[in-house]
């Protein structure tokens, strides 16, 4: 890819009965987006047309129809048509067809992501029940991408104000304690340190670790996970070079504002991290970190209650696209910075030798 070439950003339509198409169209109506990247939507032109007609103050977004990402045109909003004949638009209702449309778009986009045809993927929200089928039994995007892409995914929420990583992701609250191990927490802290350096350009990140129990267990009175699992994991990770601190009670860390002293927070479970994040960063981004490829999404769901009513705020979708672009660029810069210097040395020696030989030939002449 040439240095000045725009990144190709794939965007999946998500659930066709949710707010996905509305936030996509509102975001891409801004002509500055195509100056930053080449967007490629995987979805239904029929659904796009339907939701375009529900938007009152958004100019028409011309869609350039293509067969695949390789034919995408810079300066245009491109679309790879998905499942046209099966689409039935029913805003606000979870249906098997809306779930299938979301899955079909996701599968096609991931195929092209794996093939290197797009540089990053941004996904519109899906309904976890509607997408279930004979060939799709995943509890969310993160789990599906983990099965398709290289790496061990870490679910991370990020904004300019806050970054939150999760030890456990989509599991019942009753299973959280048994899922926590010292090894798992050390692994997550190591992952978090690495991605903050590689994907966000932080030289040596400071990470706050949350406790599991109220008041960080109160010395074992309210639970022993802090003393037996979480604190030993922090000590071990620190020995391995991770600047990890805690465990901190979630209410105290966020309520006092002390979370601002850290580059990221590691939460033990989904709602522990996402509740304060969404309160503090309503336009934040969900980033599936530590995979070979980059995937981001808005931090909201399908929002069936406002689907088709021209009420959805596109800022989180806009932020997801910006974040995807930034992370890809950071990764490429990191690869350059950390590239093995030996090949460069050997190449320079070879070039110097060729120059000396050439000079010797000229002197003989």
């Amino acid at each position: 890819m040439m240095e000045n070439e725009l990144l190709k950003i794939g965007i999946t339509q998500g659930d066709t009965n949710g707010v996905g198409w509305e936030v996509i169209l509102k975001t891409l109506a801004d002509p500055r987006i195509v100056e930053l990247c080449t967007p490629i939507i995987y979805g239904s032109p029929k659904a796009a047309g339907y939701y375009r007609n529900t938007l009152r103050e958004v100019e028409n977004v011309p869609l350039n129809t293509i067969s695949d990402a390789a034919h995408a045109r810079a300066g245009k909003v491109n679309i790879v048509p998905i499942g046209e004949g099966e689409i039935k638009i029913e805003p606000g209702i979870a249906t098997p067809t809306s779930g299938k449309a979301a899955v079909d778009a996701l599968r096609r986009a991931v195929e092209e992501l794996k093939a290197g045809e797009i540089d990053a993927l941004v996904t519109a929200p899906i309904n976890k029940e509607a997408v279930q089928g004979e060939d799709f039994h995943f509890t969310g995007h993160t789990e599906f991408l983990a099965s398709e892409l290289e790496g061990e995914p870490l679910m991370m929420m990020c904004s300019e104000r806050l970054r939150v990583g999760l030890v456990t992701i989509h599991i019942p609250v009753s299973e959280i304690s048994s899922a926590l191990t010292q090894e798992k927490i050390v692994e997550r802290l190591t992952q978090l340190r690495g991605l903050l350096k590689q994907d966000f350009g932080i030289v040596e990140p400071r990470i706050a670790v949350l406790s599991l129990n109220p008041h960080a267990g109160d010395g074992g009175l309210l639970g022993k996970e802090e003393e037996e699992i979480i604190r030993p994991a922090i000590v071990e990770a620190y020995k391995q070079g991770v600047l990890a601190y805690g465990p901190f009670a979630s209410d105290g860390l966020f309520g006092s504002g002390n979370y601002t002293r850290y580059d990221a927070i590691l939460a033990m479970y989904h709602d522990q991290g996402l509740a304060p994040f969404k309160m503090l960063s309503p336009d934040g981004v969900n980033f599936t970190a530590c995979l070979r490829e980059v995937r981001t999404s808005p931090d909201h769901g399908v929002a069936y209650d406002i689907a088709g009513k021209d009420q959805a705020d596109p800022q989180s979708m806009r932020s997801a696209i910006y974040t995807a672009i930034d992370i890809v660029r950071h990764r490429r810069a990191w690869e350059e910075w950390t590239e093995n210097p030996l090949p460069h040395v050997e190449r320079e020696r070879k070039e110097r030798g060729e120059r000396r030989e050439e000079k010797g030939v000229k002197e003989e002449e």
Side-chain angles (χ1 to χ4, degrees):
M1 179 173 153
M2 300 298 292
E3 209 171 295
N4 59 350
E5 188 177 343
L6 295 177
L7 296 176
K8 291 182 178 179
I9 305 298
I11 303 169
T12 58
Q13 66 182 354
D15 191 300
T16 50
N17 292 338
V19 297
W21 268 109
E22 182 177 332
V23 296
I24 290 170
L25 291 169
K26 285 181 175 178
T27 297
L28 299 181
D30 185 340
R32 291 172 295 183
I33 295 293
V34 295
E35 296 175 5
L36 295 173
C37 67
T38 299
I40 303 162
I41 307 171
Y42 296 84
S44 163
K46 177 181 176 182
Y50 178 94
Y51 285 103
R52 173 63 193 88
N53 290 333
T54 68
L55 306 180
R56 293 180 293 275
E57 297 183 6
V58 175
E59 293 184 10
N60 187 35
V61 181
L63 300 179
N64 178 47
T65 303
I66 55 176
S67 59
D68 52 58
H71 293 91
R73 292 181 59 188
K76 301 287 185 182
V77 176
N78 302 275
I79 183 169
V80 176
I82 302 292
E84 270 299 84
E86 303 171 2
I87 297 291
K88 183 180 180 182
I89 312 301
E90 300 177 271
I93 303 173
T95 67
T97 55
S98 70
K100 185 177 185 304
V103 171
D104 289 347
L106 177 61
R107 286 193 182 280
R108 180 63 189 280
V110 170
E111 283 177 12
E112 301 214 314
L113 182 67
K114 290 162 69 173
E117 296 293 343
I118 55 177
D119 297 295
L121 177 63
V122 177
T123 59
I126 61 174
N127 178 287
K128 291 178 174 56
E129 290 183 34
V131 297
Q132 299 304 312
E134 290 183 4
D135 62 344
F136 196 94
H137 301 285
F138 302 96
T139 53
H141 283 108
T142 303
E143 291 76 11
F144 172 71
L145 293 169
S147 73
E148 293 287 323
L149 304 174
E150 294 177 14
E152 175 63 32
L154 183 150
M155 183 174 174
M156 182 178 188
M157 310 301 292
C158 50
S159 69
E160 291 184 0
R161 188 175 191 179
L162 180 62
R163 302 179 192 90
V164 176
L166 305 180
V167 177
T168 62
I169 306 176
H170 295 127
I171 64 172
V173 173
S174 60
E175 298 176 12
I176 293 169
S177 179
S178 60
L180 294 178
T181 64
Q182 180 177 329
E183 293 74 20
K184 187 66 175 177
I185 295 171
V186 172
E187 177 188 3
R188 291 302 197 200
L189 284 168
T190 303
Q191 284 182 297
L192 197 49
R193 179 195 185 218
L195 75 91
L196 289 167
K197 292 162 74 77
Q198 172 186 268
D199 296 341
F200 293 89
I202 299 171
V203 175
E204 193 53 75
R206 292 165 50 88
I207 303 168
V209 181
L210 297 184
S211 62
L212 175 65
N213 298 297
H215 305 172
D218 261 349
L221 294 175
L222 301 178
K224 299 185 182 300
E225 288 86 355
E226 283 73 21
E227 298 304 318
E228 295 180 355
I229 299 172
I230 302 174
R231 194 181 305 279
I234 294 171
V235 171
E236 178 58 31
Y238 201 94
K239 289 179 181 176
Q240 296 180 22
V242 182
L243 299 183
Y245 304 89
F248 301 107
S250 181
D251 60 342
L253 186 70
F254 288 105
S256 66
N258 286 339
Y259 69 91
T260 59
R261 298 179 180 179
Y262 302 92
D263 298 296
I265 312 296
L266 183 67
M268 294 298 111
Y269 61 94
H270 187 279
D271 286 13
Q272 182 188 45
L274 268 64
F277 177 85
K278 290 187 177 183
M279 176 64 70
L280 294 165
S281 301
D283 300 323
V285 174
N286 180 355
F287 169 37
T288 305
C290 300
L291 293 178
R292 185 188 67 179
E293 309 295 346
V294 174
R295 174 260 173 169
T296 64
S297 73
D299 70 351
H300 58 73
V302 292
Y304 284 145
D305 57 324
I306 60 170
K309 298 179 181 179
D310 194 14
Q311 296 177 11
D313 186 344
Q315 183 54 51
S316 189
M317 172 58 78
R318 190 176 296 119
S319 297
I321 293 174
Y322 294 159
T323 300
I325 294 170
D326 287 344
I327 291 173
V328 171
R329 288 175 174 166
H330 275 300
R331 281 193 182 183
R332 291 180 179 177
W334 176 261
E335 287 174 5
E336 276 189 37
W337 298 335
T338 58
E339 188 178 8
N340 185 350
L342 291 179
H344 295 291
V345 173
E346 293 301 322
R347 186 167 59 247
E348 288 174 6
R349 284 176 178 170
K350 183 179 179 182
E351 289 173 354
R352 285 199 298 270
E354 289 173 351
R355 285 197 295 271
R356 281 198 296 269
E357 288 178 6
E358 184 180 343
K359 182 179 179 183
V361 168
K362 287 182 178 179
E363 286 177 350
E364 288 179 8
E365 291 176 349

